[in-house]
Amino acid sequence: MQTEKKQDIRKLELAELEAYFLSVGEKKFRAKQVYEWLWNKSLKNFDDMSNISKSTREILKANFTINHILVDQFQRSSDGTIKNAVKLYDDNIVESVLIPTSKRITACVSSQVGCSLDCNFCATARLKRMRNLNPDEIYDQVVAIQEEASLYFDRPLTNIVFMGMGEPLLNYQNVLSAIDKICSPEGLGISPKRITLSTVGIAKMIRKLADDEVKFNLALSLHSAIDETRTRLMPINQVNTVEDLALALKYWYSKTKRKVTYEYVIWDGINDDEKHARALAKFCKHVPSKVNIIQYNPIDEGEFRQASPDKIELYLSVLESAGIVAKVRKSRGQDIDAACGQLANKNEL
């Protein structure tokens, strides 16, 4: 547990750690050794730092703590998907998911405890947002899934998606700091090309991503290219309209030259007609893009129901005719509430 007296050592960058070691009369290179234990080797306690003297370890223990996550609950789906209920240092809970396929093992990680947005079809939206996750808490989720990939599948982690609980762009600096550590050779050394950040669509922050010249991929949770429908589904569309998003994505592409992925659920009686399909096809023309049509995962007996197969075929036909790449993504982990839109600490609901 974190205390007022002890600082979380992983809040310090390497230069700050070097300055600390010099201030207590230690050699500067000790900082790099400790930094490697913390990030590259994901060590959970100071006593296991075998190349650090006992006296130095005692100094670290007296002044710092390592607020490491704990996988508090573990569920495994019939399709192999693993869901972790992750306990944080302050006893808050978030969830993360390991998604296995024949070619990939993907980590789906959370960026906030709860969510401040009110997307009507999402279980996480029913939780109040408690706080942002720290960079190390995001990082630790990836490490836990990396270890599970090796233990249960004897395969490496290949991809990371920020599609868990929370809106990544509302925790901007911490998410980018976590990605920097994940990609760093001093961290996990994962290529940014294998990382996708998914957002509900905050236009000014999409522009900021472009200005910051990020190297990872961008996905937009769209679900309708018609303002009236999208606002019904996602109230944030009132201040980030379809046109606002189109302009932000054009800016993103002009700066990064990276294709955008649109995540799109088709619901019965809501957006399952030709008008909505054609609006999506038109929206896709703004920048090079592809569409993932995602199977809906019910969170209750409410108004949202998966569209019929013929409606999904209608969409695929319209998009194909417009020259747009579209794939239907079958959800995994539904039997353990680990699929898209289902992540929520059930004790909080």
Side-chain angles (χ1 to χ4, degrees):
M1 294 295 293
Q2 188 182 39
T3 68
E4 290 183 7
K5 293 182 180 179
K6 293 186 180 182
Q7 182 180 10
D8 181 358
I9 193 169
R10 289 190 294 175
K11 289 185 180 295
L12 301 181
E13 294 297 334
L14 178 58
E16 295 173 305
L17 202 54
E18 288 173 341
Y20 172 77
F21 273 103
L22 290 173
S23 75
V24 295
E26 289 280 352
K27 299 291 187 183
K28 183 179 176 181
F29 74 87
R30 291 291 181 208
K32 193 166 186 179
Q33 291 177 316
V34 171
Y35 197 80
E36 182 179 0
W37 283 114
L38 294 172
W39 294 108
N40 184 258
K41 298 178 181 178
S42 302
L43 205 70
K44 300 178 182 180
N45 61 75
F46 295 113
D47 286 327
D48 291 337
M49 296 182 177
S50 56
N51 61 349
I52 306 297
S53 69
K54 188 175 188 300
S55 61
T56 302
R57 279 181 271 148
E58 292 301 322
I59 292 173
L60 291 173
K61 287 160 64 177
N63 292 280
F64 296 102
T65 186
I66 303 173
N67 288 330
H68 213 281
I69 67 164
L70 171 69
V71 177
D72 192 49
Q73 292 184 7
F74 169 99
Q75 291 175 278
R76 193 165 184 180
S77 167
S78 57
D79 62 25
T81 300
I82 292 172
K83 182 172 75 170
N84 294 326
V86 174
K87 181 179 284 190
L88 310 176
Y89 74 89
D90 57 4
D91 290 335
N92 275 308
I93 300 286
V94 295
E95 294 181 340
S96 58
V97 184
L98 181 158
I99 307 166
T101 65
S102 59
K103 296 181 180 179
R104 296 181 175 186
I105 290 189
T106 300
C108 176
V109 299
S110 295
S111 56
Q112 295 179 307
V113 182
C115 187
S116 60
L117 303 176
D118 297 311
C119 300
N120 293 316
F121 50 84
C122 179
T124 309
R126 299 184 178 189
L127 302 175
K128 61 182 177 180
R129 190 189 74 81
M130 302 295 291
R131 67 173 177 86
N132 289 330
L133 292 187
N134 298 323
D136 53 276
E137 293 170 326
I138 297 169
Y139 186 92
D140 285 350
Q141 292 176 70
V142 177
V143 171
I145 291 175
Q146 188 179 54
E147 292 171 351
E148 290 167 350
S150 176
L151 179 62
Y152 296 105
F153 298 91
D154 195 26
R155 291 160 54 194
L157 176 66
T158 60
N159 295 79
I160 301 167
V161 295
F162 282 78
M163 298 182 185
M165 298 168 68
E167 165 53 54
L169 294 187
L170 293 180
N171 187 16
Y172 190 90
Q173 291 301 333
N174 286 352
V175 166
L176 262 60
S177 178
I179 292 174
D180 183 60
K181 290 286 194 300
I182 289 165
C183 297
S184 168
E186 287 78 33
L188 301 181
I190 293 174
S191 169
K193 294 180 180 179
R194 295 187 173 274
I195 298 174
T196 299
L197 183 149
S198 175
T199 175
V200 299
I202 303 170
K204 69 177 183 179
M205 301 309 292
I206 292 172
R207 290 173 178 271
K208 182 165 174 54
L209 284 175
D211 286 335
D212 286 343
E213 299 180 348
V214 300
K215 304 300 182 186
F216 51 79
N217 302 302
L218 179 66
L220 174 66
S221 186
L222 186 60
H223 310 306
S224 178
I226 297 174
D227 275 320
E228 182 182 1
T229 305
R230 193 167 192 269
T231 299
R232 173 186 172 187
L233 296 167
M234 309 168 76
I236 195 173
N237 192 71
Q238 293 173 334
V239 291
N240 288 268
T241 66
V242 170
E243 182 180 0
D244 293 336
L245 294 176
L247 292 172
L249 292 170
K250 287 178 182 179
Y251 185 76
W252 157 271
Y253 187 76
S254 73
K255 300 279 282 189
T256 68
K257 296 297 185 283
R258 298 193 73 79
K259 183 183 294 187
V260 177
T261 299
Y262 298 124
E263 296 158 337
Y264 202 97
V265 178
I266 307 171
W267 286 283
D268 179 41
I270 294 175
N271 62 347
D272 62 346
D273 55 27
E274 186 172 346
K275 179 180 76 170
H276 282 87
R278 295 201 177 280
L280 173 60
K282 182 179 178 181
F283 188 85
C284 288
K285 294 295 186 179
H286 290 303
V287 297
S289 58
K290 63 179 181 178
V291 177
N292 283 341
I293 296 176
I294 300 170
Q295 179 181 349
Y296 180 59
N297 306 295
I299 57 175
D300 54 26
E301 299 300 320
E303 64 176 309
F304 295 100
R305 299 180 302 277
Q306 173 75 31
S308 61
D310 63 305
K311 300 293 187 179
I312 294 172
E313 286 300 321
L314 167 67
Y315 262 84
L316 292 173
S317 176
V318 168
L319 294 171
E320 183 180 358
S321 297
I324 296 156
V325 174
K327 294 183 178 179
V328 177
R329 298 292 188 188
K330 187 178 186 301
S331 288
R332 302 175 66 89
Q334 289 174 300
D335 56 330
I336 56 170
D337 291 332
C340 290
Q342 292 185 313
L343 294 189
N345 176 10
K346 291 301 183 287
N347 293 329
E348 291 287 338
L349 281 181

